[in-house]
Amino acid sequence: MFLLKKIQGEWKIISKSASSKASNKSGKKILFIVSNANYYGNSTISTGNSFAEIVNAYDTFVNSGYTVDFVSPNGGDIPLAYINTSDDMQKKYLYNPDFMYAIKFTLSPKEVDYKNYKAVHYIGGGSAMYDVPENLDIQRISMQVYEDNNGIISSVCHGTAGIVNLKTKNGEFLVEGKKISGYPDSFEKQDGEYFKHFPFLIQKTIEERGGDFKFSKRNESFVEQDGRIVTGQNFQSSNGVALKIIELIEKNK
């Protein structure tokens, strides 16, 4: 702040002062993986990325000094689902221009440098079943964070679909021999129209690939950690998954 005074027709600085405020940005970054898919497969049934899962994890990370970036297979805007404007946190982020800008302009895989990230986090919602699981560039980024950065791979709910195809450098599926959680096949509305368009079943695929799928009761938080893999059953688990990721990162400084 400058104090100016006009002396003999000229403005002069009489005094100046400054203040500082600690930033909550630590340089530690998390990469959220989201989908551009607007519909269940080739149907006309709309779907999206779970807004609750995004904001619950996002808020936990930013309040702990982390920066969150978003990447999607195509980059750009993504569909959102399960928005509850009665929820104070969701409402706060709906009216946060910086956050909504990041959602509208997600990074494409080619814009991502894996070296910048401590963890990748796969967001759920129906969109997560499409485009992301088979995207080779996103698979590469995730495994580089995991293997080259000694980082963490995480997911919540249907976001676990994104990790079923991940393979280690020795050619094994990442989930082989690991305890993994996500949305159980038995919880799906299997007579629902949307279910007919699922490209695969999360639990069944993980178990076929040697994973040990874990889950709990409906509508309660359940977090599973196996080494540097952290997975959650549902949107209620989003905060717990984020806290576990932060705990692991801080422990391995």
Side-chain angles (χ1 to χ4, degrees):
M1 183 173 69
F2 295 93
L3 177 61
L4 302 175
K5 186 174 183 180
K6 202 169 190 178
I7 301 175
Q8 295 180 345
E10 294 184 7
W11 288 101
K12 296 185 181 292
I13 298 174
I14 302 303
S15 65
K16 53 188 175 181
S17 62
S19 61
S20 64
K21 182 180 179 181
S23 170
N24 71 337
K25 305 299 184 184
S26 63
K28 294 176 288 191
K29 302 183 77 172
I30 309 294
L31 185 65
F32 278 24
I33 299 173
V34 289
S35 173
N36 304 105
N38 289 278
Y39 302 99
Y40 284 95
N42 295 321
S43 77
T44 56
I45 305 171
S46 297
T47 189
N49 300 271
S50 172
F51 194 66
E53 292 176 28
I54 294 173
V55 300
N56 287 338
Y58 183 93
D59 189 74
T60 304
F61 283 121
V62 297
N63 286 332
S64 298
Y66 287 74
T67 299
V68 174
D69 290 335
F70 295 86
V71 64
S72 61
N74 301 327
D77 65 328
I78 60 171
L80 300 173
Y82 315 114
I83 298 174
N84 179 6
T85 55
S86 297
D87 181 271
D88 288 341
M89 184 180 297
Q90 292 189 43
K91 191 173 182 179
K92 176 180 75 172
Y93 281 108
L94 275 172
Y95 291 99
N96 182 318
D98 292 335
F99 173 80
M100 294 306 293
Y101 181 92
I103 292 291
K104 185 175 182 180
F105 298 99
T106 65
L107 301 171
S108 66
K110 67 180 180 181
E111 296 175 292
V112 172
D113 183 351
Y114 75 91
K115 296 175 184 176
N116 294 330
Y117 299 99
K118 303 285 187 179
V120 298
H121 182 55
Y122 287 80
I123 296 296
S127 290
M129 297 296 298
Y130 309 93
D131 297 343
V132 168
E134 65 269 25
N135 187 282
L136 296 179
D137 289 327
I138 289 179
Q139 291 177 26
R140 173 183 52 78
I141 291 167
S142 294
M143 293 311 298
Q144 285 176 320
V145 169
Y146 184 74
E147 294 183 311
D148 299 344
N149 281 9
N150 198 36
I152 295 161
I153 287 178
S154 65
S155 65
V156 166
C157 201
H158 288 87
T160 299
I163 73 172
V164 301
N165 294 324
L166 297 180
K167 288 186 175 182
T168 62
K169 289 178 179 177
N170 62 12
E172 295 179 353
F173 284 108
L174 176 71
V175 300
E176 184 176 341
K178 301 292 196 302
K179 294 177 181 177
I180 303 292
S181 189
Y183 201 69
D185 297 346
S186 59
F187 286 9
E188 298 287 356
K189 189 177 180 181
Q190 299 195 11
D191 60 349
E193 188 64 28
Y194 80 93
F195 189 73
K196 299 175 184 177
H197 300 278
F198 268 21
F200 59 90
L201 299 180
I202 296 173
Q203 179 180 349
K204 180 182 178 183
T205 304
I206 286 172
E207 290 174 345
E208 287 175 347
R209 293 177 175 175
D212 183 7
F213 194 87
K214 300 289 188 181
F215 63 97
S216 185
K217 297 177 182 178
R218 290 178 182 269
N219 302 317
E220 65 178 37
S221 176
F222 181 80
V223 177
E224 189 66 56
Q225 180 212 341
D226 195 328
R228 289 180 288 112
I229 303 172
V230 184
T231 49
Q233 175 173 308
N234 45 28
F235 81 87
Q236 292 93 341
S237 312
S238 299
N239 177 61
V241 168
L243 289 173
K244 177 58 68 174
I245 293 168
I246 292 168
E247 177 188 323
L248 290 174
I249 292 172
E250 297 303 317
K251 185 186 296 184
N252 295 322
K253 278 183 176 179

